[in-house]
Amino acid sequence: MSRLVIVSNRVADPNQVHGGLDVCVLDALRKRGGVWFGWNGEIASKESCLEVGYAKLDRLTFVTTPLVERDYDEYYLGFANAALWPVHHYRLDLARFTPESVEGYRRVNERFAEMLAPLLRRDDIVWVQDYHLIPLGAALRARGVANRIGFFLHIPFPPPEVFVATPEHEWLMRAYAEYDLVGFQTKTDHLNFCRFVTECMGGRIVSTDMLQVAGKVFSAGFFPVGIDVDSFAAMADSPDAARHIRRMRKTSAPRIRVIGVDRLDYTKGLPDRLRSFKRLLELYPENRKRAALLQIAPPTREDVQAYAEIRRELEGLSGEINGELGDFDWTPVHYIHRRLSRETLAALYRASRVGLVTPLRDGMNLVAKEYVAAQDGTNPGVLVLSRFAGAAEDLEEALIVNPYDVDDVAHATQRAIAMPLVERIDRHRALLTRLRARDARNWTREFLQALDASRMAVAA
Ligand code: ADQ
């Protein structure tokens, strides 16, 4: 079997998973072994210190490098997170484009390619992950790398009317065309990309999964990301989780726990969610002193201004709701901004009657899938899910809501709280079947099979 080489901006410490991409990549690599290349999370003092480091864990090899401060500012905080991230989440109002940040983005992609190219074997399969590294494939090709190279975008691809606001959209398109296969999370993202190629770049659709543009023919499709359902369910079912849940119930626990788990990010709709919870307590006062929202939101990217603002807003809102509605024996909103172990998260999901997953825009959202996987099938909780999360394209048995409409989310939360056991069991069973059909293993297998087929399709 060919060696799998995964490249992502940040290589995770397997004991410290930071976000959805880490979860997917670790699942993919643990199963089949391989190499994971990328940034080690450290900042080196000068360029001459930028060396490649190696570490091994079972069948996995980690190959990592630091960044220098300027790269961190211009490539990571700059073009990736202050330009591409907001544009892809339809937030042009938050996008900041500067020539330095584009330059930093090019520079780091070139350097990654320079470091990686000599390490590749002839039959390695290279799989590049996410928006930080769109031009990496082209930079590898420029160094003579003829291997199969696939790219997967973990975040949404916006409608072309939005994407073309990125000053570098033509350059990015040419970079996309250098891959053998470009994968998206949902049918909608794939469609948006095809519209961009055909309506804005003069390209054409060759077949359902092949595009031609900028003198290149390449494959594109959608491959919804999934989780390792059984291992997550096992965590939620473990004696440790049961102990955790007993302890929570014995202490201050409310009778009805509603849970939200997200990186602290403006795309996750956290202020709107808190407002919806307040609205629930206003519209359905019988929940006062009975229900509480546990919101877990560890801060990320705090050096980007928009992230500091969302943190302030959220802290203000939870203080306001607790001050206005809370009592000496009841706190409506518990807000924790710390990272928890996956075992603790699994126990918390299981102990929660409602999972509130209400992003304003999200590539997929693995929390929605983890919440379902963690439930006790004989007495499951209910998932309330934003129509703007990629997961909503598939998870039809969740209560689908418009996260901008606080009344809609409040009514759905009440419906979840009041839902009869039989209906909860039916919905949960259907959701679990969907999760299994599109789990982490299938995601990897289907993407790699399509990558394999892409070469043959072009040759034909
Ligand atoms: P993220 O934006 O990070 O991922 P998501 O898919 O929800 O969003 O994944 C978050 C992961 O981090 C989950 O596995 C969750 O359990 C974990 N997590 C969150 N808060 C935590 C905490 N306090 N402690 C520990 N773990 C925590 C990006 C895209 C998504 C896409 C994924 C995968 O933005 O749309 O679903 O990649 O492709």
Side-chain angles (χ1 to χ4, degrees):
M1 194 168 29
S2 306
R3 195 171 65 150
L4 177 62
V5 177
I6 291 195
V7 192
S8 68
N9 164 62
R10 177 76 195 265
V11 172
D13 171 348
N15 301 313
Q16 256 203 323
V17 166
H18 281 273
L21 186 146
D22 298 354
V23 177
C24 307
V25 171
L26 273 168
D27 275 336
L29 279 174
R30 273 204 184 108
K31 302 267 145 55
R32 82 176 255 166
V35 175
W36 190 356
F37 178 92
W39 178 33
N40 62 10
E42 287 167 18
I43 306 286
S45 56
K46 45 185 190 299
E47 299 230 350
S48 55
C49 303
L50 295 180
E51 282 173 5
V52 177
Y54 297 85
K56 260 193 109 56
L57 179 77
D58 305 325
R59 294 154 60 216
L60 243 162
T61 307
F62 298 88
V63 185
T64 58
T65 173
L67 295 177
V68 289
E69 187 91 40
R70 191 159 73 109
D71 295 339
Y72 178 72
D73 288 344
E74 296 174 358
Y75 148 80
Y76 179 72
L77 297 179
F79 198 68
N81 285 317
L84 291 178
W85 176 271
V87 168
H88 282 80
H89 289 87
Y90 303 45
R91 292 297 303 270
L92 288 178
D93 57 318
L94 295 176
R96 303 279 171 271
F97 307 105
T98 66
E100 299 76 39
S101 65
V102 183
E103 202 31 55
Y105 185 73
R106 274 184 221 272
R107 188 175 61 243
V108 172
N109 273 274
E110 290 291 330
R111 187 178 324 116
F112 273 21
E114 191 67 33
M115 288 172 163
L116 181 60
L119 307 178
L120 292 175
R121 300 178 192 154
R122 218 157 50 96
D123 65 341
D124 280 350
I125 297 168
V126 183
W127 189 2
V128 180
Q129 308 286 328
D130 228 359
Y131 62 103
H132 313 82
L133 301 175
I134 299 166
L136 186 77
L140 287 169
R141 296 276 184 243
R143 286 162 178 80
V145 173
N147 299 46
R148 270 169 297 169
I149 314 182
F151 177 86
F152 187 80
L153 187 70
H154 288 257
I155 61 178
F157 192 89
E161 294 78 5
V162 173
F163 191 66
V164 293
T166 313
E168 290 70 26
H169 64 270
E170 290 183 14
W171 171 60
L172 291 170
M173 180 69 258
R174 286 194 299 279
Y176 271 123
E178 293 287 346
Y179 289 104
D180 293 300
L181 170 66
V182 177
F184 299 94
Q185 294 273 26
T186 64
K187 212 188 287 177
T188 308
D189 300 319
H190 180 209
L191 194 69
N192 283 340
F193 184 73
C194 292
R195 281 190 55 217
F196 170 55
V197 168
T198 53
E199 294 172 23
C200 307
M201 300 301 300
R204 69 181 189 97
I205 294 174
V206 179
S207 63
T208 43
D209 53 5
M210 293 203 73
L211 295 165
Q212 182 173 31
V213 70
K216 305 269 175 196
V217 177
F218 64 104
S219 299
F222 65 99
F223 306 86
V225 151
I227 60 167
D228 184 339
V229 182
D230 291 331
S231 78
F232 208 85
M235 262 191 278
D237 213 14
S238 68
D240 258 12
R243 235 186 338 271
H244 225 81
I245 295 168
R246 269 200 307 276
R247 219 179 64 213
M248 277 187 317
R249 289 194 173 137
K250 239 195 252 158
T251 52
S252 64
R255 302 231 315 270
I256 302 161
R257 179 173 287 104
V258 178
I259 193 168
V261 175
D262 313 75
R263 284 185 308 94
L264 184 49
D265 194 297
Y266 53 81
T267 61
K268 302 289 182 184
L270 296 168
D272 305 81
R273 186 179 310 162
L274 259 57
R275 283 188 206 104
S276 303
F277 190 71
K278 183 177 181 213
R279 193 73 184 124
L280 169 83
L281 300 173
E282 288 164 358
L283 289 172
Y284 303 97
E286 65 270 29
N287 291 314
R288 294 188 187 194
K289 298 209 174 193
R290 286 175 73 222
L293 169 65
L294 172 60
Q295 178 60 57
I296 303 165
T300 47
R301 309 172 194 167
E302 286 180 284
D303 299 335
V304 180
Q305 197 196 343
Y307 287 77
E309 280 165 15
I310 184 90
R311 180 172 181 166
R312 264 197 304 279
E313 186 180 359
L314 207 58
E315 283 171 356
L317 258 174
S318 55
E320 191 185 301
I321 297 171
N322 288 338
E324 210 174 298
L325 298 174
D327 215 331
F328 63 91
D329 57 351
W330 173 60
T331 311
V333 178
H334 291 261
Y335 172 39
I336 299 177
H337 52 245
R338 179 161 67 71
R339 196 148 285 292
L340 304 176
S341 71
R342 299 190 61 66
E343 289 74 12
T344 308
L345 271 188
L348 288 173
Y349 288 139
R350 194 176 185 113
S352 301
R353 177 60 180 272
V354 184
L356 263 189
V357 180
T358 53
L360 303 179
R361 191 64 61 181
D362 214 333
M364 178 55 57
N365 195 297
L366 295 182
V367 169
K369 299 193 172 185
E370 291 168 358
Y371 177 77
V372 171
Q375 296 308 302
D376 170 0
T378 64
N379 184 20
V382 179
L383 175 65
V384 174
L385 179 61
S386 161
R387 59 183 295 177
F388 302 122
E393 219 172 69
D394 188 34
L395 301 185
E396 285 173 23
E397 291 78 12
L399 300 183
I400 305 293
V401 292
N402 173 1
Y404 292 95
D405 181 347
V406 289
D407 279 30
D408 186 30
V409 178
H411 290 312
T413 309
Q414 177 60 21
R415 191 173 160 207
I417 290 171
M419 191 179 283
L421 178 64
V422 181
E423 184 178 351
R424 282 191 278 131
I425 291 177
D426 281 353
R427 285 178 184 267
H428 177 256
R429 196 178 293 137
L431 288 170
L432 209 54
T433 306
R434 292 183 186 276
L435 250 55
R436 288 191 197 290
R438 290 190 159 163
D439 66 0
R441 195 173 299 194
N442 285 338
W443 175 65
T444 312
R445 197 187 47 231
E446 282 171 20
F447 184 92
L448 293 178
Q449 270 171 2
L451 181 55
D452 213 25
S454 63
R455 280 276 164 108
M456 289 182 270
V458 173

